[in-house]
Amino acid sequence: MERDLGLGADAARTLGARQDAATATEEVLRTALGDTFGGAYFDIASGTLTVGVTDVSKVAQVASAGATPRVVPRSVAQLDSTLARLGNRDTVAPRSVTGWYADIVTDQVVVTTLPGTSPIAKAFAGPDVRVVETAAPRTFADIKGGDAYNIGGSRCSVGLSVQGGFVTAGHCNVLTGGGALTRNGVALGTWGGAAFPGRDYAWVRTNSNWTPRGLVGAVRVVGSTAAATGSAVCKSGSTTGWTCGTVGAKNQTVRYAEGTVTGLTASNVRCQPGDSGGGFVTNAGQGQGTVSGGNTATCFFQPLGPILSAFGLTLVRG
């Protein structure tokens, strides 16, 4: 059984096919355009991929690839350079600053800060950076994808299955002391590795009581291709269950009270404490990552690719 994103079955399949095609086109153009690549985002309503370029002579190349070209003043490389500058100043950032990211849609670097603290954030961020006030993010460690598991008296969520276990959030290990793992009162397994802060990923090596399945909720996982910004995505977590939205800005730096995490992807999917580690997936079954944290408006997830690479894991497909 498969689950869609609140669409009819035919519409969901069509959207999934368009998103997969858009993702493939984005990767081709990212390489072909080189330093002139200005990012890409997918529009669900129209099913189109918009690709930014800093060189007007590249417009025809983008159009011939089937994407909508847009001339922008800053390339992804330039945005990333600004992000790196901010990252190098993390230790001196005001406590009110909650993170930063590149907004591909507006072609700007954005610094997020607590309500009423924009002047302080602007002084830290410097010129040519947009400041947005937002609620403080927090890790969701109230402490098949989406199932609950316990670390002592704390609870987190299973992310995506891998050979020998599953991936989840790193803070579920670090912030709980990496205690004994159970599910429904039954021993679950042992920690295979974890990172937090810096990154926010971990994996659990399940014991013989459990068989990892290639599912997030009821969606069969078929791969791990990262969806374009703007694509439809859903998550399964043990607190809020199955919730859906769209992929937001990628490569975000988020300053939790417990430490700074880089490389996160934003979404407008609903998440709450206890969802930490839960799996993100597209309707077409492409695994996207695991819940890290967020606030009432944003749910950040740790992209799946770096988790698999960090621990040498192989995704279980449904």
Side-chain angles (χ1 to χ4, degrees), residues 256-317:
Y256 296 120
E258 301 87 352
T260 299
V261 178
T262 62
L264 297 181
T265 297
S267 76
N268 58 2
V269 174
R270 180 169 173 255
C271 296
Q272 289 186 356
D275 288 330
S276 281
F280 270 79
V281 67
T282 66
N283 182 64
Q286 295 294 336
Q288 298 299 299
T290 56
V291 175
S292 174
N295 52 37
T296 55
T298 305
C299 182
F300 299 106
F301 66 86
Q302 165 69 60
L304 180 58
I307 311 177
L308 300 179
S309 297
F311 301 116
L313 301 172
T314 301
L315 191 67
V316 171
R317 301 168 190 259

Side-chain angles (χ1 to χ4, degrees), residues 120-232:
I120 297 173
K122 287 178 180 177
F124 163 74
D128 209 27
V129 173
R130 180 160 54 98
V131 171
V132 174
E133 295 188 355
T134 183
R138 54 175 171 158
T139 51
F140 288 148
D142 177 19
I143 329 194
K144 152 188 131 226
D147 288 345
Y149 70 93
N150 294 93
I151 315 100
S154 299
R155 171 171 57 85
C156 278
S157 301
V158 174
L160 294 102
S161 294
V162 295
Q163 294 294 334
F166 62 85
V167 295
T168 187
H171 70 262
C172 292
N173 170 291
V174 175
L175 299 184
T176 63
L181 295 161
T182 58
R183 171 160 166 72
N184 296 331
V186 178
L188 181 61
T190 58
W191 292 103
F196 180 87
R199 298 290 185 173
D200 191 8
Y201 48 57
W203 80 286
V204 170
R205 187 182 292 110
T206 51
N207 60 32
S208 58
N209 292 325
W210 310 94
T211 301
R213 300 182 61 200
L215 296 169
V216 172
V219 171
R220 293 195 295 270
V221 177
V222 300
S224 57
T225 302
T229 294
S231 298

Side-chain angles (χ1 to χ4, degrees), residues 22-41 49 51-53 61-62 65 75-77 80 104 226-229 250-251:
T23 298
T25 300
E26 177 185 356
E27 290 306 308
V28 169
L29 288 174
R30 181 186 297 272
T31 299
L33 295 171
D35 290 342
T36 68
F37 178 69
Y41 56 90
L49 178 73
V51 175
V53 291
Q61 183 178 355
V62 172
S75 67
V76 165
D80 286 346
I104 296 301
T229 294
K250 301 182 180 183
N251 195 28

Side-chain angles (χ1 to χ4, degrees), residues 1-9 12 144-145 215-220 234-236 240-244 281-285:
M1 173 183 177
E2 293 189 0
R3 216 160 167 176
D4 63 28
L5 304 173
L7 306 169
K144 152 188 131 226
L215 296 169
V216 172
V219 171
R220 293 195 295 270
C234 292
K235 82 98 192 49
S236 186
T240 56
W242 184 258
T243 57
C244 300
V281 67
T282 66
N283 182 64

